[in-house]
Amino acid sequence: MFKFPLAYNTFSKNDEILISKVFREGFLTQGKITQNYEFRLSEFFNSKYAVAVNSGSSANLLMISALIYSKDQSLKLRRGDEVIVPAVSWMTTYSPLIQLGLVPRIVDIDKDTLNISIESIKNVINEKTKCIFAVNLLGHPCEFKELLDICKQHNLILLEDNCESMGAKYDSKYTGTFGLMSSQSTYMSHHISTIEGGFVLTNNEYFRDLLVSLRSHGWARDINQNSRFYSENITNKNYEYLPDDFLFLLPGFNLRTTEINSQLGISQLPKLDDIISIKRTISGEFSIILNKYQNLFSTQIDKYFSSCFGFPIIAKNKRDKDLLKIELEKNGFQTRPIVTGNILSHPVSKFFPGEIPKLKISTLVHENGIFIGNYFPKVSEAVKAFEKSFDLFL
Ligand SMILES: Cc1ncc(COP(=O)(O)O)c(C=O)c1O
Protein backbone atom coordinates (compact mmCIF):
# COMPACT_ATOMS: atom_id res chain seq x y z
CA MET A 1 0.00 0.00 0.00
CA PHE A 2 1.37 3.40 -0.99
CA LYS A 3 0.89 6.41 1.27
CA PHE A 4 0.36 8.57 -1.82
CA PRO A 5 -1.60 6.40 -4.27
CA LEU A 6 -2.57 7.24 -7.86
CA ALA A 7 -6.29 6.78 -7.28
CA TYR A 8 -8.51 8.08 -4.53
CA ASN A 9 -12.08 7.67 -3.42
CA THR A 10 -14.38 10.66 -2.92
CA PHE A 11 -17.53 8.71 -2.08
CA SER A 12 -19.24 9.56 1.19
CA LYS A 13 -21.77 8.02 3.55
CA ASN A 14 -24.38 10.12 1.76
CA ASP A 15 -23.56 8.38 -1.55
CA GLU A 16 -24.14 5.05 0.15
CA ILE A 17 -27.56 6.24 1.39
CA LEU A 18 -28.54 7.62 -2.03
CA ILE A 19 -27.51 4.46 -3.85
CA SER A 20 -29.41 2.27 -1.41
CA LYS A 21 -32.49 4.39 -2.09
CA VAL A 22 -32.10 3.93 -5.86
CA PHE A 23 -31.62 0.23 -5.35
CA ARG A 24 -34.75 -0.06 -3.22
CA GLU A 25 -36.85 1.88 -5.71
CA GLY A 26 -36.21 -0.86 -8.21
CA PHE A 27 -35.67 0.71 -11.66
CA LEU A 28 -31.93 0.29 -12.03
CA THR A 29 -30.97 0.60 -15.68
CA GLN A 30 -30.78 3.92 -17.55
CA GLY A 31 -33.88 5.96 -16.76
CA LYS A 32 -35.05 9.19 -15.13
CA ILE A 33 -32.01 9.60 -12.83
CA THR A 34 -29.72 9.34 -15.86
CA GLN A 35 -31.83 11.95 -17.66
CA ASN A 36 -31.44 14.22 -14.65
CA TYR A 37 -27.67 13.55 -14.57
CA GLU A 38 -27.40 14.41 -18.28
CA PHE A 39 -29.32 17.63 -17.72
CA ARG A 40 -27.00 18.63 -14.85
CA LEU A 41 -23.91 17.78 -16.90
CA SER A 42 -25.07 19.89 -19.84
CA GLU A 43 -25.82 22.82 -17.51
CA PHE A 44 -22.54 22.51 -15.66
CA PHE A 45 -20.35 22.38 -18.76
CA ASN A 46 -22.50 24.82 -20.70
CA SER A 47 -23.10 22.37 -23.52
CA LYS A 48 -26.52 21.83 -25.12
CA TYR A 49 -26.49 18.05 -24.72
CA ALA A 50 -24.82 15.41 -22.57
CA VAL A 51 -25.22 11.72 -23.39
CA ALA A 52 -24.23 9.42 -20.52
CA VAL A 53 -22.55 6.09 -21.25
CA ASN A 54 -20.80 3.33 -19.31
CA SER A 55 -17.19 4.51 -19.86
CA GLY A 56 -14.97 7.08 -21.52
CA SER A 57 -13.96 4.37 -23.99
CA SER A 58 -17.63 3.89 -24.89
CA ALA A 59 -17.93 7.66 -25.34
CA ASN A 60 -15.08 7.53 -27.89
CA LEU A 61 -16.62 4.54 -29.68
CA LEU A 62 -19.99 6.29 -29.79
CA MET A 63 -18.60 9.57 -31.19
CA ILE A 64 -16.66 7.87 -33.97
CA SER A 65 -19.60 5.59 -34.80
CA ALA A 66 -21.93 8.60 -34.96
CA LEU A 67 -19.65 10.13 -37.58
CA ILE A 68 -19.64 6.88 -39.57
CA TYR A 69 -23.47 6.69 -39.58
CA SER A 70 -24.00 10.42 -40.11
CA LYS A 71 -25.87 11.36 -43.28
CA ASP A 72 -24.62 14.92 -43.06
CA GLN A 73 -22.12 14.93 -45.91
CA SER A 74 -19.96 17.66 -44.34
CA LEU A 75 -19.87 15.98 -40.93
CA LYS A 76 -19.19 12.38 -41.86
CA LEU A 77 -16.31 9.89 -41.79
CA ARG A 78 -15.91 7.13 -44.35
CA ARG A 79 -13.67 4.03 -44.36
CA GLY A 80 -10.11 5.04 -45.28
CA ASP A 81 -10.46 8.63 -44.06
CA GLU A 82 -7.50 9.86 -42.03
CA VAL A 83 -7.95 11.09 -38.48
CA ILE A 84 -5.04 12.99 -36.94
CA VAL A 85 -4.44 11.97 -33.35
CA PRO A 86 -1.52 12.43 -30.91
CA ALA A 87 0.80 9.52 -30.03
CA VAL A 88 0.31 9.93 -26.28
CA SER A 89 -3.22 9.13 -25.14
CA TRP A 90 -5.15 6.08 -23.94
CA MET A 91 -5.58 2.99 -26.14
CA THR A 92 -9.32 3.51 -26.52
CA THR A 93 -8.77 6.86 -28.18
CA TYR A 94 -7.39 4.84 -31.11
CA SER A 95 -9.39 1.59 -30.88
CA PRO A 96 -12.64 2.85 -32.47
CA LEU A 97 -10.69 4.41 -35.34
CA ILE A 98 -9.03 1.07 -36.13
CA GLN A 99 -12.19 -0.97 -35.49
CA LEU A 100 -14.29 1.21 -37.80
CA GLY A 101 -11.85 1.21 -40.71
CA LEU A 102 -10.46 4.72 -40.33
CA VAL A 103 -6.76 5.54 -40.53
CA PRO A 104 -5.29 7.00 -37.34
CA ARG A 105 -2.58 9.41 -38.44
CA ILE A 106 -0.39 9.51 -35.37
CA VAL A 107 1.53 12.72 -34.71
CA ASP A 108 3.93 13.97 -32.07
CA ILE A 109 3.11 16.03 -28.99
CA ASP A 110 4.36 19.42 -27.84
CA LYS A 111 7.25 19.32 -25.36
CA ASP A 112 5.74 21.91 -22.99
CA THR A 113 2.05 20.96 -22.87
CA LEU A 114 2.35 17.27 -23.92
CA ASN A 115 -0.69 17.91 -26.12
CA ILE A 116 -0.97 17.41 -29.88
CA SER A 117 1.70 19.45 -31.69
CA ILE A 118 0.24 22.02 -34.05
CA GLU A 119 3.33 21.89 -36.29
CA SER A 120 3.06 18.10 -36.58
CA ILE A 121 -0.59 18.41 -37.61
CA LYS A 122 0.30 20.84 -40.39
CA ASN A 123 2.95 18.42 -41.69
CA VAL A 124 0.57 15.49 -42.23
CA ILE A 125 -2.61 17.12 -43.55
CA ASN A 126 -3.49 15.78 -47.01
CA GLU A 127 -6.60 15.20 -49.13
CA LYS A 128 -7.59 12.13 -47.07
CA THR A 129 -7.53 14.04 -43.76
CA LYS A 130 -11.06 14.50 -42.45
CA CYS A 131 -10.78 14.94 -38.71
CA ILE A 132 -8.52 15.99 -35.84
CA PHE A 133 -9.09 13.98 -32.69
CA ALA A 134 -7.43 16.22 -30.09
CA VAL A 135 -6.71 14.91 -26.61
CA ASN A 136 -6.59 17.26 -23.63
CA LEU A 137 -3.87 15.34 -21.83
CA LEU A 138 -3.73 15.10 -18.03
CA GLY A 139 -5.95 18.13 -17.43
CA HIS A 140 -4.25 20.45 -19.93
CA PRO A 141 -6.25 22.22 -22.66
CA CYS A 142 -5.05 21.91 -26.26
CA GLU A 143 -4.26 24.97 -28.39
CA PHE A 144 -7.87 25.48 -29.44
CA LYS A 145 -7.45 28.69 -31.38
CA GLU A 146 -4.90 27.06 -33.68
CA LEU A 147 -6.89 23.81 -33.88
CA LEU A 148 -10.10 25.60 -34.84
CA ASP A 149 -8.24 27.72 -37.41
CA ILE A 150 -6.72 24.62 -39.02
CA CYS A 151 -10.09 22.82 -39.04
CA LYS A 152 -11.76 25.82 -40.68
CA GLN A 153 -9.02 26.23 -43.27
CA HIS A 154 -9.00 22.54 -44.28
CA ASN A 155 -12.65 21.70 -43.64
CA LEU A 156 -11.88 19.19 -40.89
CA ILE A 157 -14.03 17.90 -38.05
CA LEU A 158 -12.68 18.59 -34.55
CA LEU A 159 -13.30 15.97 -31.85
CA GLU A 160 -12.00 16.09 -28.30
CA ASP A 161 -11.00 13.27 -26.01
CA ASN A 162 -11.49 15.08 -22.72
CA CYS A 163 -11.42 11.94 -20.58
CA GLU A 164 -8.49 13.23 -18.49
CA SER A 165 -9.40 16.91 -18.37
CA MET A 166 -12.81 17.44 -16.88
CA GLY A 167 -13.08 21.00 -15.56
CA ALA A 168 -10.11 22.38 -17.51
CA LYS A 169 -10.68 25.72 -19.24
CA TYR A 170 -9.36 27.54 -22.29
CA ASP A 171 -10.37 31.19 -22.48
CA SER A 172 -12.90 30.65 -19.66
CA LYS A 173 -14.65 27.90 -21.67
CA TYR A 174 -14.59 24.26 -20.57
CA THR A 175 -12.48 21.85 -22.59
CA GLY A 176 -14.79 19.36 -24.21
CA THR A 177 -16.93 22.15 -25.66
CA PHE A 178 -14.70 23.18 -28.58
CA GLY A 179 -15.15 20.18 -30.87
CA LEU A 180 -18.26 18.84 -32.60
CA MET A 181 -18.35 16.25 -29.80
CA SER A 182 -16.15 15.36 -26.84
CA SER A 183 -15.72 12.32 -24.62
CA GLN A 184 -15.37 12.37 -20.83
CA SER A 185 -14.58 9.60 -18.37
CA THR A 186 -15.79 9.15 -14.81
CA TYR A 187 -13.69 6.05 -14.19
CA MET A 188 -12.58 5.50 -10.60
CA SER A 189 -9.28 7.38 -10.76
CA HIS A 190 -10.61 10.37 -12.75
CA HIS A 191 -11.62 13.82 -11.47
CA ILE A 192 -15.05 12.63 -10.41
CA SER A 193 -16.06 9.01 -10.30
CA THR A 194 -19.15 6.97 -11.00
CA ILE A 195 -17.00 3.79 -10.57
CA GLU A 196 -17.17 3.20 -14.33
CA GLY A 197 -18.76 5.78 -16.58
CA GLY A 198 -18.45 8.52 -19.14
CA PHE A 199 -20.44 10.90 -21.31
CA VAL A 200 -20.37 12.76 -24.59
CA LEU A 201 -20.94 16.51 -24.81
CA THR A 202 -22.23 18.13 -28.00
CA ASN A 203 -24.11 21.25 -29.05
CA ASN A 204 -25.38 19.55 -32.20
CA GLU A 205 -28.93 18.19 -31.99
CA TYR A 206 -28.55 15.85 -34.97
CA PHE A 207 -25.46 14.23 -33.40
CA ARG A 208 -27.16 14.06 -30.01
CA ASP A 209 -29.90 11.95 -31.62
CA LEU A 210 -27.36 9.75 -33.42
CA LEU A 211 -25.51 9.18 -30.12
CA VAL A 212 -28.69 8.38 -28.21
CA SER A 213 -29.86 5.88 -30.81
CA LEU A 214 -26.47 4.18 -31.23
CA ARG A 215 -26.02 3.99 -27.44
CA SER A 216 -29.13 1.83 -27.11
CA HIS A 217 -29.22 -0.86 -29.82
CA GLY A 218 -29.90 1.71 -32.57
CA TRP A 219 -33.54 2.10 -31.59
CA ALA A 220 -35.86 5.06 -32.14
CA ARG A 221 -36.85 5.29 -28.47
CA ASP A 222 -35.92 8.69 -26.97
CA ILE A 223 -35.75 10.34 -30.42
CA ASN A 224 -38.13 13.17 -31.22
CA GLN A 225 -40.31 12.22 -34.21
CA ASN A 226 -40.02 15.76 -35.57
CA SER A 227 -36.24 15.64 -35.59
CA ARG A 228 -34.14 15.58 -38.72
CA PHE A 229 -32.46 12.35 -37.59
CA TYR A 230 -35.83 10.58 -37.15
CA SER A 231 -37.31 11.66 -40.44
CA GLU A 232 -34.20 10.91 -42.50
CA ASN A 233 -34.26 7.35 -41.16
CA ILE A 234 -37.98 6.72 -41.71
CA THR A 235 -38.08 6.13 -45.43
CA ASN A 236 -40.99 3.76 -45.65
CA LYS A 237 -44.56 4.39 -44.49
CA ASN A 238 -44.87 0.77 -43.29
CA TYR A 239 -42.48 1.52 -40.44
CA GLU A 240 -45.20 3.63 -38.90
CA TYR A 241 -46.92 0.44 -37.73
CA LEU A 242 -44.02 -0.25 -35.34
CA PRO A 243 -43.87 1.60 -32.01
CA ASP A 244 -40.70 3.72 -31.56
CA ASP A 245 -39.69 1.66 -28.53
CA PHE A 246 -39.22 -1.33 -30.84
CA LEU A 247 -38.21 0.39 -34.05
CA PHE A 248 -34.56 0.08 -35.05
CA LEU A 249 -32.89 2.77 -37.12
CA LEU A 250 -29.19 1.88 -36.98
CA PRO A 251 -26.94 -1.08 -36.15
CA GLY A 252 -26.28 0.13 -32.60
CA PHE A 253 -24.54 -0.97 -29.41
CA ASN A 254 -25.54 -1.23 -25.81
CA LEU A 255 -23.31 1.32 -24.07
CA ARG A 256 -25.87 2.41 -21.50
CA THR A 257 -25.10 3.34 -17.95
CA THR A 258 -27.25 2.54 -14.90
CA GLU A 259 -29.24 4.65 -12.45
CA ILE A 260 -26.75 3.76 -9.71
CA ASN A 261 -23.80 5.20 -11.66
CA SER A 262 -25.85 8.25 -12.62
CA GLN A 263 -26.86 8.85 -9.00
CA LEU A 264 -23.18 8.78 -8.07
CA GLY A 265 -22.48 11.27 -10.87
CA ILE A 266 -25.16 13.63 -9.58
CA SER A 267 -23.62 13.68 -6.13
CA GLN A 268 -20.01 13.84 -7.38
CA LEU A 269 -20.44 16.71 -9.85
CA PRO A 270 -20.72 19.48 -7.21
CA LYS A 271 -17.40 18.26 -5.75
CA LEU A 272 -15.50 18.84 -9.01
CA ASP A 273 -14.33 22.40 -8.33
CA ASP A 274 -12.95 21.54 -4.87
CA ILE A 275 -11.20 18.44 -6.21
CA ILE A 276 -9.57 20.52 -8.96
CA SER A 277 -8.55 23.16 -6.47
CA ILE A 278 -6.70 20.59 -4.31
CA LYS A 279 -5.09 19.04 -7.39
CA ARG A 280 -3.95 22.45 -8.63
CA THR A 281 -2.50 23.34 -5.21
CA ILE A 282 -0.52 20.12 -4.95
CA SER A 283 0.66 20.26 -8.58
CA GLY A 284 1.71 23.89 -8.00
CA GLU A 285 3.78 22.92 -4.94
CA PHE A 286 5.35 19.99 -6.79
CA SER A 287 6.21 22.29 -9.73
CA ILE A 288 8.04 24.75 -7.45
CA ILE A 289 10.20 21.91 -6.13
CA LEU A 290 10.77 20.44 -9.59
CA ASN A 291 11.83 23.83 -10.88
CA LYS A 292 14.94 23.65 -8.71
CA TYR A 293 15.97 20.64 -10.77
CA GLN A 294 15.03 22.01 -14.16
CA ASN A 295 18.40 21.01 -15.59
CA LEU A 296 17.34 17.37 -14.97
CA PHE A 297 13.52 17.25 -14.99
CA SER A 298 10.48 19.03 -16.44
CA THR A 299 6.69 18.84 -16.19
CA GLN A 300 3.68 20.03 -18.22
CA ILE A 301 3.34 23.81 -18.46
CA ASP A 302 -0.01 25.17 -17.25
CA LYS A 303 -0.67 27.65 -20.09
CA TYR A 304 -4.44 28.03 -19.66
CA PHE A 305 -6.41 26.51 -16.77
CA SER A 306 -5.39 22.94 -16.16
CA SER A 307 -7.58 20.64 -14.08
CA CYS A 308 -4.29 18.86 -13.17
CA PHE A 309 -5.28 15.21 -13.53
CA GLY A 310 -2.00 14.16 -11.87
CA PHE A 311 1.65 15.14 -11.91
CA PRO A 312 3.86 14.02 -14.82
CA ILE A 313 7.65 14.28 -14.63
CA ILE A 314 9.97 13.92 -17.62
CA ALA A 315 13.66 13.30 -16.96
CA LYS A 316 16.29 14.51 -19.40
CA ASN A 317 17.89 11.07 -19.25
CA LYS A 318 16.65 7.57 -18.49
CA ARG A 319 19.10 6.93 -15.64
CA ASP A 320 17.71 9.89 -13.64
CA LYS A 321 14.17 8.73 -14.34
CA ASP A 322 14.98 5.26 -12.97
CA LEU A 323 16.63 6.77 -9.87
CA LEU A 324 13.74 9.18 -9.26
CA LYS A 325 11.19 6.38 -9.60
CA ILE A 326 12.96 4.43 -6.85
CA GLU A 327 13.14 7.53 -4.62
CA LEU A 328 9.47 8.46 -5.15
CA GLU A 329 8.37 4.95 -4.30
CA LYS A 330 10.65 4.88 -1.24
CA ASN A 331 8.92 8.07 -0.08
CA GLY A 332 5.45 6.60 -0.47
CA PHE A 333 4.38 7.59 -4.01
CA GLN A 334 2.78 5.07 -6.32
CA THR A 335 4.19 5.68 -9.82
CA ARG A 336 3.22 4.73 -13.37
CA PRO A 337 4.10 5.72 -16.98
CA ILE A 338 2.63 8.91 -18.45
CA VAL A 339 -0.70 7.62 -19.81
CA THR A 340 0.40 5.05 -22.45
CA GLY A 341 3.67 6.75 -23.32
CA ASN A 342 4.05 6.51 -27.10
CA ILE A 343 1.25 4.19 -28.27
CA LEU A 344 3.36 3.18 -31.27
CA SER A 345 5.96 1.69 -28.91
CA HIS A 346 3.41 -0.93 -27.75
CA PRO A 347 2.80 -4.37 -29.30
CA VAL A 348 -0.62 -3.09 -30.48
CA SER A 349 1.18 -0.86 -32.99
CA LYS A 350 0.97 -3.77 -35.48
CA PHE A 351 -2.74 -2.96 -35.83
CA PHE A 352 -2.02 0.63 -36.86
CA PRO A 353 -1.95 0.96 -40.64
CA GLY A 354 1.01 2.56 -42.42
CA GLU A 355 4.61 3.15 -41.44
CA ILE A 356 5.49 3.89 -37.84
CA PRO A 357 6.74 7.49 -37.69
CA LYS A 358 9.63 8.57 -35.47
CA LEU A 359 8.20 10.88 -32.83
CA LYS A 360 10.82 12.61 -30.71
CA ILE A 361 8.80 14.02 -27.81
CA SER A 362 6.42 11.07 -27.53
CA THR A 363 9.42 8.74 -27.37
CA LEU A 364 11.05 10.90 -24.70
CA VAL A 365 7.83 10.78 -22.65
CA HIS A 366 7.64 7.02 -23.22
CA GLU A 367 11.18 6.35 -22.06
CA ASN A 368 11.79 9.03 -19.45
CA GLY A 369 8.31 9.82 -18.13
CA ILE A 370 6.93 9.10 -14.65
CA PHE A 371 3.51 10.00 -13.30
CA ILE A 372 2.28 10.37 -9.72
CA GLY A 373 -1.04 11.39 -8.15
CA ASN A 374 -1.88 14.84 -6.79
CA TYR A 375 -4.92 14.39 -4.56
CA PHE A 376 -3.99 13.65 -0.96
CA PRO A 377 -5.71 14.64 2.29
CA LYS A 378 -2.43 15.80 3.90
CA VAL A 379 -0.97 18.29 1.43
CA SER A 380 2.11 19.32 3.42
CA GLU A 381 3.05 15.70 4.10
CA ALA A 382 2.89 14.90 0.37
CA VAL A 383 4.92 17.99 -0.52
CA LYS A 384 7.63 17.09 2.03
CA ALA A 385 7.81 13.51 0.74
CA PHE A 386 8.04 14.82 -2.82
CA GLU A 387 10.90 17.19 -1.92
CA LYS A 388 12.75 14.41 -0.11
CA SER A 389 12.60 12.25 -3.25
CA PHE A 390 14.96 14.72 -4.94
CA ASP A 391 17.65 14.83 -2.21
CA LEU A 392 19.74 12.50 -4.33
CA PHE A 393 19.90 15.11 -7.10
CA LEU A 394 21.05 18.05 -4.93
C1 LIG B 1 -7.32 10.00 -22.75
C2 LIG B 1 -8.25 8.91 -22.35
N1 LIG B 1 -9.22 8.54 -23.20
C3 LIG B 1 -10.09 7.56 -22.90
C4 LIG B 1 -10.01 6.89 -21.70
C5 LIG B 1 -10.99 5.79 -21.42
O1 LIG B 1 -11.81 6.05 -20.32
P1 LIG B 1 -12.47 4.84 -19.50
O2 LIG B 1 -11.42 4.29 -18.61
O3 LIG B 1 -13.58 5.49 -18.74
O4 LIG B 1 -12.95 3.85 -20.47
C6 LIG B 1 -9.03 7.21 -20.78
C7 LIG B 1 -8.93 6.46 -19.53
O5 LIG B 1 -8.22 6.69 -18.63
C8 LIG B 1 -8.10 8.24 -21.11
O6 LIG B 1 -7.11 8.56 -20.28
Side-chain angles (χ1 to χ4, degrees), residues 16-28:
E16 205 179 307
I17 295 166
L18 288 168
I19 288 179
S20 310
K21 187 168 168 281
V22 175
F23 202 78
R24 277 196 309 271
E25 280 172 4
F27 189 89
L28 296 178

Side-chain angles (χ1 to χ4, degrees), residues 55-57 60 89-90 92-93 135 161 163-164 185 187 190 197 339:
S55 72
S57 304
N60 280 342
S89 186
W90 193 245
T92 51
T93 310
V135 181
D161 181 327
C163 286
E164 296 182 353
S185 165
Y187 174 63
H190 288 222
V339 205

Side-chain angles (χ1 to χ4, degrees), residues 27 41-42 59 75 82 101 104 119 139 167 177 224 242 246 252 265 282 292 348 364 391:
F27 189 89
L41 289 170
S42 65
L75 296 174
E82 290 190 8
E119 272 322 295
T177 59
N224 185 334
L242 288 162
F246 298 94
I282 295 180
K292 297 185 206 155
V348 73
L364 181 74
D391 282 355

